[in-house]
């Protein structure tokens, strides 16, 4: 069988798998998948990640002859450990393959031994004895069925032989792997968000402020790629419907970074300037509260705030604010355009101008 490519993945009809609803709800599976592609992005590698199609995650890493195709079956559990017996356990009903390890091997059977791995990934370690060891131990790193001792290999191989009558090749056990990922079931989203922060800080320290919107955008993009089991006619169709690539992640980062900063992000610089001008703590807090009130009213579409926003932005367009270093200096310049002070709103003209100026400049 020739080395599989993205065309091979597109041409084959995926095995039906459960869990699409949970995946779209941003569960453990999608976060583990996101963490894996973020690691590849940080490493500077080219990749195409296919979600919930053939397996929970399919990764095509590299280009041309150096590319690698890996399949990941993501399993979360509240039990302490995995064992060979648990991975080999076969369901009483349903179509073949009936075991967890069999569903992983299905990808070897479909795509051939030229794939890089067919892996089971979980939040809990595997309790097993390696062929070169004298005792059983818990294993966090990636290891293959071929690495296990005969006693642990036996139930796995028997289950695979039952799942693939006449079609299982023991020589391929080196492609079947297990790996624990360090994500707790109660905090995995926070862990992945932390990785997003680290990645963005590597670009530029202040980009960390984009972490939350980027995380949300990535969750949404991954969710849109799930639940579609239709065979793709072309590689382009496969990429469009169920995958994300390095270029997709780069565009997502650029979009998030290009957005206007919100009040929480730009307020520290305004606070510093107000304090430098001699404003006391309570005065500064009142100004911040009015800025927040204005931003909330404008976002809610309140008429007074919307009309004031249009007027202030028109004044900004007529004022050379690009050459000004002080937001308070710019506020004075804008007042020269005869803007009206709000009469009954929980914000004043100055706070509204600060918000519009900072959003325009950032």
């Amino acid at each position: 069988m020739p080395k599989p490519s993205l065309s091979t993945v597109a041409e084959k009809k995926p095995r039906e798998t459960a869990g699409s609803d949970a995946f779209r709800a941003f569960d453990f599976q999608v976060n583990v998948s996101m963490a894996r592609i973020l690691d590849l992005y940080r490493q500077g590698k080219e990749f195409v990640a296919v979600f919930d199609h053939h397996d929970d995650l399919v990764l095509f890493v590299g280009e041309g002859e150096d590319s690698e195709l890996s399949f990941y079956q993501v399993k979360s559990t509240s039990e302490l450990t995995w064992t060979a017996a648990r991975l080999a356990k076969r369901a009483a009903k349903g179509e073949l393959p009936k075991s967890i390890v069999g569903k992983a091997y299905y990808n070897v059977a479909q795509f051939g031994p030229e794939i890089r791995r067919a892996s089971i990934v979980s939040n809990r370690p595997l309790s097993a004895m390696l062929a070169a060891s004298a005792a059983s131990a818990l294993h966090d790193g990636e290891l293959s069925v071929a690495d296990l001792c005969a006693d642990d290999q036996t139930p796995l191989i028997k289950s695979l032989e039952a799942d693939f009558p006449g079609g299982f090749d023991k020589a391929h056990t080196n492609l079947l792997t297990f790996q624990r990922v360090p994500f707790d079931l109660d905090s995995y989203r926070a862990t992945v968000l932390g990785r997003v922060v680290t990645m963005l800080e590597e670009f530029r320290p202040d980009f960390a402020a984009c972490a939350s919107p980027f995380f949300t955008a990535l969750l949404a993009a991954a969710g849109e790629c799930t639940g579609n089991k239709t065979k793709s006619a072309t590689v382009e169709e496969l990429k469009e419907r169920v995958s994300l690539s390095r270029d997709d992640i780069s565009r997502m980062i650029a979009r998030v970074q290009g957005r206007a900063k919100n009040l929480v992000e730009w307020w520290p610089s305004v606070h510093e300037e107000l304090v430098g001008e001699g404003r006391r703590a309570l005065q500064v807090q009142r100004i911040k509260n009015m800025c927040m009130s204005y931003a909330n009213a404008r976002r809610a579409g309140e008429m007074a705030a919307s009309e004031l926003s249009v007027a202030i932005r028109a004044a900004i367009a007529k004022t050379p604010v690009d050459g000004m270093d002080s937001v308070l200096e710019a506020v004075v310049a804008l007042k020269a355009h005869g803007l009206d002070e709000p009469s009954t709103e929980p914000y004043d003209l100055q706070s509204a101008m600060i918000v519009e100026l900072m959003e325009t400049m950032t």
Side-chain angles (χ1 to χ4, degrees):
M1 187 178 290
K3 185 174 182 177
S5 65
L6 269 178
S7 296
T8 318
V9 176
E11 290 165 0
K12 290 184 179 291
K13 189 178 189 308
R15 174 177 59 88
E16 291 295 329
T17 57
S20 293
D21 290 341
F23 188 54
R24 283 192 294 270
F26 312 133
D27 68 348
F28 184 81
Q29 177 183 320
V30 71
N31 279 270
V32 168
S33 301
M34 284 167 47
R36 193 141 301 228
I37 66 176
L38 289 175
D39 287 343
L40 290 172
Y41 190 90
R42 290 179 65 192
Q43 294 165 17
K45 294 183 178 180
E46 294 293 333
F47 64 87
V48 175
V50 181
F51 294 86
D52 199 30
H53 196 77
H54 291 293
D55 219 328
D56 296 334
L57 176 66
V58 180
L59 273 178
F60 207 91
V61 181
E63 297 179 293
E65 292 300 316
D66 296 327
S67 60
E68 296 179 346
L69 180 60
S70 297
F71 296 83
Y72 296 93
Q73 183 182 162
V74 182
K75 293 292 182 184
S76 60
T77 180
S78 57
E79 296 189 31
L80 291 178
T81 62
W82 287 94
T83 62
R86 280 188 68 195
L87 296 175
K89 185 177 179 180
R90 305 180 72 246
K93 299 179 180 180
E95 298 179 355
L96 298 177
K98 295 184 178 182
S99 66
I100 293 174
V101 71
K103 290 173 183 175
Y105 187 80
Y106 180 87
N107 296 308
V108 181
Q110 283 285 294
F111 294 93
E114 289 297 315
I115 68 170
R116 173 65 181 83
R117 63 172 62 78
S119 188
I120 300 163
V121 179
S122 182
N123 60 308
R124 295 295 191 186
L126 176 66
S127 177
M129 183 188 298
L130 301 184
S133 300
S136 181
L138 299 179
H139 300 280
D140 284 344
E142 186 175 24
L143 70 159
S144 71
V145 171
D147 294 326
L148 303 180
C149 69
D151 286 346
D152 281 328
Q153 281 193 27
T154 297
L156 294 168
I157 290 174
K158 285 184 177 179
S159 185
L160 288 165
E161 290 173 340
D163 279 336
F164 299 90
F168 169 66
D169 188 338
K170 189 177 179 180
H172 299 160
T173 53
N174 64 310
L175 300 175
L176 291 170
T177 72
F178 181 96
Q179 183 176 12
R180 175 186 173 267
V181 288
F183 297 156
D184 183 83
L185 286 181
D186 295 326
S187 59
Y188 57 83
R189 289 188 182 91
T191 303
V192 178
L193 179 58
R195 293 195 181 190
V196 171
V197 171
T198 300
M199 182 186 74
L200 294 177
E201 283 181 333
E202 289 173 353
F203 295 131
R204 215 172 75 188
D206 63 327
F207 282 179
C210 302
S212 184
F214 174 80
F215 178 73
T216 301
L218 185 55
L219 276 173
E224 290 173 0
C225 292
T226 67
N228 192 326
K229 300 296 182 182
T230 306
K231 185 171 70 173
S232 301
T234 64
V235 168
E236 289 70 26
E237 183 183 338
L238 177 77
K239 287 182 176 181
E240 182 179 352
R241 289 193 299 106
V242 293
S243 76
L244 292 174
S245 68
R246 180 177 183 82
D247 289 342
D248 293 325
I249 303 300
S250 293
R251 285 191 290 269
M252 204 176 300
I253 291 173
R255 286 198 301 271
V256 171
Q257 291 170 350
R259 86 201 198 291
K261 291 185 178 179
N262 61 38
L263 190 149
V264 174
E265 295 171 67
W266 54 252
W267 177 255
S269 60
V270 175
H271 179 276
E272 183 179 356
E273 184 174 337
L274 290 170
V275 172
E277 289 288 323
R279 308 292 178 93
R280 306 296 292 271
L282 290 179
Q283 288 179 297
V284 173
Q285 186 60 48
R286 276 193 290 268
I287 294 172
K288 181 179 181 180
N289 290 346
M290 287 190 288
C291 286
M292 294 174 66
S293 294
Y294 171 73
N296 290 337
R298 189 191 56 182
R299 183 168 56 249
E302 294 182 11
M303 183 176 295
S306 298
E307 291 178 349
L308 184 55
S309 176
V310 171
I312 294 174
R313 288 182 176 272
I316 290 174
K318 301 173 185 177
T319 307
V321 294
D322 288 344
M324 299 179 184
D325 297 327
S326 163
V327 68
L328 298 180
E329 176 188 351
V331 164
V332 172
L334 292 183
K335 284 182 177 179
H337 292 280
L339 297 169
D340 295 327
E341 184 76 38
S343 57
T344 59
E345 305 301 330
Y347 50 84
D348 60 10
L349 179 59
Q350 175 183 257
S351 60
M353 288 191 290
I354 289 174
V355 171
E356 298 292 351
L357 282 164
M358 293 305 295
E359 289 185 354
T360 299
M361 300 307 291
T362 60

